[in-house]
């Protein structure tokens, strides 16, 4: 399995930010790990021109139709992108997306030939109540379609309370969660579940990347804020390469 570090630019980025990607492509074009930047739909074509692997941040479950303002997976693929994120907690929370919708978006991504990163994660209240594993197992059961394979699918564990806050679970907590997620994936998908990449996401930065990437069953990271600037993202890529 090749490890993966994926950036998520969210609703950030205009033409003025494209040189960040050129810098990354220059420094990491031949990386020994997969490097992907998921960006806003407005930039995807030009992001793809840099030669980096590019992804959408979300897609509609239908391939086309009367859905004003939405973007289909086929449209994302048409830009030259090869990945798409589904189920990010900001989509689940801000747009009331449920697991069934996220599963249908994952299927739409596969149908368009995209590799799909499916996000799961517990809220702070659920974490404090000790419900993390129950929540994550339920999200996996319902938002990962049966047809998922290691080649088409990556799972990103992102505790909601760690996203953009500077907080992270302890190394022991990440380890325990990822071990439990691996067991759950293997129980359902067998060998495909063993090979499916499990990313950690939530306040990953250069200063904590080494510790997180050293953990068993952490096959890379989904990175928000620290993916916006090449000088912040580059050391995270280097840390993942060193752990691979
Ligand atoms: C994210 O939004 O997927 C994320 C992990 O954000 P950050 O790295 O900024 O916490």
């Amino acid at each position: 399995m090749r490890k993966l570090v994926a950036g998520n630019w969210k609703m950030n980025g205009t033409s003025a930010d494209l040189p960040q990607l050129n810098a990354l492509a220059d420094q990491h074009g031949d990386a020994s790990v997969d490097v992907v930047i998921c960006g806003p739909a407005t930039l995807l074509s030009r992001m793809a021109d840099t030669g980096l692997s590019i992804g959408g941040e979300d897609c509609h479950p239908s391939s086309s139709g009367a859905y004003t303002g939405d973007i289909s997976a086929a449209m994302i693929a048409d830009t030259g992108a090869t990945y798409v994120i589904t189920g990010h907690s900001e989509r689940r929370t801000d747009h009331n997306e449920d697991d069934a919708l996220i599963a249908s978006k994952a299927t739409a991504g596969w149908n368009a030939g995209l590799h799909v990163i499916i996000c799961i994660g517990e809220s702070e209240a659920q974490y404090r109540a000790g419900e993390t594993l129950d929540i994550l197992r339920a999200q996996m059961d319902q938002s990962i379609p049966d047809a998922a394979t290691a080649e088409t699918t990556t799972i990103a564990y992102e505790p909601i309370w760690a996203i953009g806050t500077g907080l992270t679970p302890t190394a022991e907590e990440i380890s325990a969660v990822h071990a439990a997620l691996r067991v759950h994936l293997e129980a359902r998908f067998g060998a495909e579940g063993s090979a499916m990449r499990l990313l950690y996401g939530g306040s990953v930065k250069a200063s904590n990347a080494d510790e997180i990437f050293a953990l068993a069953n952490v096959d890379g990271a989904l990175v928000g804020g620290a993916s916006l600037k090449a000088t912040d993202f580059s050391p995270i890529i280097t840390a993942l390469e060193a752990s691979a």
Side-chain angles (χ1 to χ4, degrees):
M1 161 207 306
R2 252 170 89 91
K3 297 196 173 184
L4 166 65
V5 58
N8 174 16
W9 276 20
K10 313 191 183 191
M11 198 173 74
N12 295 294
T14 62
S15 313
D17 300 295
L18 291 170
Q20 300 298 328
L21 296 190
N22 292 317
L24 282 179
D26 286 348
Q27 292 164 46
H28 299 286
D30 58 355
S32 59
V33 298
D34 290 339
V35 178
V36 179
I37 300 283
C38 299
T42 49
L43 283 184
L44 289 180
S45 294
R46 282 173 291 164
M47 290 173 107
D49 288 343
T50 65
L52 286 172
S53 294
I54 300 303
E57 299 173 6
D58 179 51
C59 66
H60 194 277
S62 298
S63 55
S64 64
Y67 304 105
T68 303
D70 282 314
I71 309 286
S72 74
M75 291 169 173
I76 291 171
D78 185 52
T79 67
T82 51
Y83 279 73
V84 68
I85 297 171
T86 69
H88 192 280
S89 61
E90 287 152 13
R91 299 294 312 179
R92 290 178 184 263
T93 303
D94 301 346
H95 298 268
N96 297 317
E97 295 195 1
D98 62 14
D99 288 317
L101 177 61
I102 290 156
S104 64
K105 290 181 175 204
T107 301
W110 297 333
N111 289 342
L114 299 173
H115 185 100
V116 179
I117 300 173
I118 302 175
C119 300
I120 57 173
E122 83 284 7
S123 69
E124 183 173 6
Q126 290 162 339
Y127 168 74
R128 291 197 185 287
E131 295 168 359
T132 298
L133 291 182
D134 289 341
I135 295 294
L136 298 179
R137 289 189 188 112
Q139 288 179 344
M140 290 174 100
D141 290 346
Q142 291 158 39
S143 55
I144 308 175
D146 288 337
T149 67
E151 197 185 333
T152 62
T153 312
T154 293
I155 308 303
Y157 166 52
E158 299 204 303
I160 297 171
W161 51 274
I163 293 179
T165 59
L167 303 173
T168 57
T170 63
E172 291 71 25
E173 287 172 321
I174 296 174
S175 232
V177 168
H178 277 240
L181 297 183
R182 180 67 70 205
V183 166
H184 202 63
L185 278 178
E186 287 176 342
R188 180 168 167 205
F189 296 106
E192 292 296 327
S194 308
M196 207 172 285
R197 290 182 296 202
L198 270 173
L199 309 184
Y200 168 77
S203 296
V204 174
K205 41 191 184 288
S207 57
N208 60 18
D210 284 330
E211 184 183 23
I212 292 170
F213 292 153
L215 302 173
N217 291 304
V218 175
D219 306 311
L222 182 54
V223 182
S227 70
L228 293 172
K229 296 272 178 260
T231 47
D232 294 331
F233 200 44
S234 176
I236 297 173
I237 298 170
T238 303
L240 186 61
E241 286 189 287
S243 76

